[in-house]
Amino acid sequence: MNNTITTIAFDADDTLWINEPYFQETEKEFCALLKDYLPQHAVSKELFTTEMQNLPLYGYGVKGFMLCMIETINRVSNGKASLELVNKTIELGHELLQKTIELLDGVSHTLESLHGKYRLVIATKGDLLDQERKLKKSGLQSYFHHIEIMSDKKVSDYEKLLKHLDCKPENFLMLGNSIQSDILPVLEMGGTAAHIPYHVTWTHEQHHQPLKHENFFELKRIDEILGLLGC
């Protein structure tokens, strides 16, 4: 890895702490609520379709997910579902918004080792209030110079972030679990990116093509970045 890195950005969900398994658990419970209308796999497919249609309107996060579940209920039931079913779905969303924060292995040690040597940043998608809640409960907030809750993670979004940080692409390193969001845009703009796979990935974020790039690194655990940086 090049020795010009000065700023290191971290994705949050499923990079610093557990997230997607909670969404999948909630989706499973939601699908079970609609078992009288469609089989679970069919409800899941309908929900994903709703999410993709509404992504430009709602963005990422639990609140948009809740609205998509309610809209899916209406469509799947042809408008005949009871208010009780809607209320149960809202309860599922509220439970999701109050999940405990469980840090992934190696996160605390990695941030402790890098803090003071690099400018550390969080660059993550999601709902603003929910991500702020998770960061506060994680106990990691003091490690970071800047927190960026992004509406999307395209090249233009990263360029905006780097402009705010007064950081050149060649001095920027991004770590995350999504090839689609955390890796490809950063490489495209000339930065360095390290992928830390997580065993569960949202369908929309999955990327199946092999990736080779001089500024791309594949890690098994987040603390492996310390060796690459010589820390």
Side-chain angles (χ1 to χ4, degrees), residues 176-188:
N177 68 296
S178 171
I179 293 286
Q180 199 72 31
S181 294
D182 303 319
I183 307 301
L184 295 179
V186 173
L187 295 178
E188 185 176 338

Side-chain angles (χ1 to χ4, degrees), residues 69-191:
M69 287 192 290
I70 293 170
E71 184 176 327
T72 301
I73 288 175
N74 186 59
R75 188 172 67 253
V76 167
S77 69
N78 292 316
K80 298 178 181 179
S82 66
L83 183 58
E84 181 184 4
L85 191 56
V86 174
N87 287 335
K88 287 182 178 179
T89 299
I90 293 174
E91 288 176 12
L92 289 177
H94 285 172
E95 291 172 5
L96 188 55
L97 283 166
Q98 298 175 66
K99 290 291 187 180
T100 57
I101 304 305
E102 184 176 348
L103 298 183
L104 293 170
D105 292 341
V107 167
S108 296
H109 172 63
T110 299
L111 295 177
E112 181 69 32
S113 300
L114 296 175
H115 187 239
K117 300 176 183 176
Y118 298 88
R119 181 168 53 170
L120 305 184
V121 172
I122 281 186
T124 190
K125 293 186 293 190
D127 177 79
L128 176 62
L129 291 178
D130 188 34
Q131 293 296 58
E132 288 179 340
R133 174 192 69 84
K134 288 189 281 189
L135 179 59
K136 184 177 181 179
K137 287 192 172 183
S138 73
L140 302 176
Q141 195 164 0
S142 62
Y143 290 116
F144 296 101
H145 167 83
H146 178 74
I147 312 297
E148 189 78 10
I149 312 299
M150 308 165 77
S151 59
D152 208 343
K153 282 184 170 179
K154 297 180 180 178
V155 174
S156 59
D157 300 295
Y158 282 105
E159 289 176 339
K160 181 180 177 181
L161 172 61
L162 263 62
K163 183 177 180 179
H164 176 79
L165 296 171
D166 192 23
C167 177
K168 297 179 180 179
E170 58 265 30
N171 303 134
F172 181 76
L173 166 64
M174 179 71 193
L175 284 81
N177 68 296
S178 171
I179 293 286
Q180 199 72 31
S181 294
D182 303 319
I183 307 301
L184 295 179
V186 173
L187 295 178
E188 185 176 338
M189 74 170 184

